[in-house]
Amino acid sequence: MKIFSREQISYIDRQTKILEPILEIDLMERASKALAEWLIAHYPVSSKIAVIAGTGNNGGDALAVARLLLKINMDVDVYLPEFVGRRSDANEINLSRLEDLVIGPMIKLIELNELPNLSGYDLLIDGLYGSGLNRPLEG
């Protein structure tokens, strides 16, 4: 597995959009599909998965992965922290696509103290913050 720095990820995204060209939402779908395929290959369908999807593009990626896993009937709970800011456009699109499935619960977290107990899950997909975070974490 290759791990890239924030600067490298930003550069790769920019170059991909220049060379292909591809819309941000389509690039997000491509990345989410690759992760979903990897998860399907490495985790049994019976796995219990929690997805915490923030309001930025990383959250949009997480929402797309959740949708793809739900489509094959994996057990996915989606948590939507509503206290972390306005949703990006791509995030809104993926939230809408996920809501159209009407499969599985989506739990809105309004207050910071509502964070769920995640001990019953086999896998946690963290979509709170991504490589674009440019400030210290808080709260």
Side-chain angles (χ1 to χ4, degrees), residues 6 55 83-85 128-129 132-139:
R6 176 181 168 205
T55 56
F83 51 82
V84 290
L128 284 174
Y129 299 105
L133 183 65
N134 56 11
R135 60 181 170 74
L137 290 176
E138 51 188 61

Side-chain angles (χ1 to χ4, degrees), residues 70-128:
L70 284 166
K71 279 187 172 182
I72 64 153
N73 295 319
M74 288 189 89
D75 187 2
V76 180
D77 291 335
V78 178
Y79 294 92
L80 301 169
E82 299 288 318
F83 51 82
V84 290
R86 188 188 85 70
R87 294 193 179 283
S88 70
D89 292 341
N91 186 298
E92 285 284 353
I93 291 168
N94 277 318
L95 180 59
S96 176
R97 289 175 178 174
L98 181 61
E99 288 172 337
D100 286 346
L101 284 180
V102 192
I103 306 172
M106 289 197 298
I107 302 107
K108 291 186 178 181
L109 306 171
I110 306 301
E111 300 291 332
L112 186 59
N113 63 358
E114 292 180 323
L115 294 178
N117 177 352
L118 300 171
S119 63
Y121 293 97
D122 300 307
L123 177 66
L124 169 63
I125 297 174
D126 173 3
L128 284 174

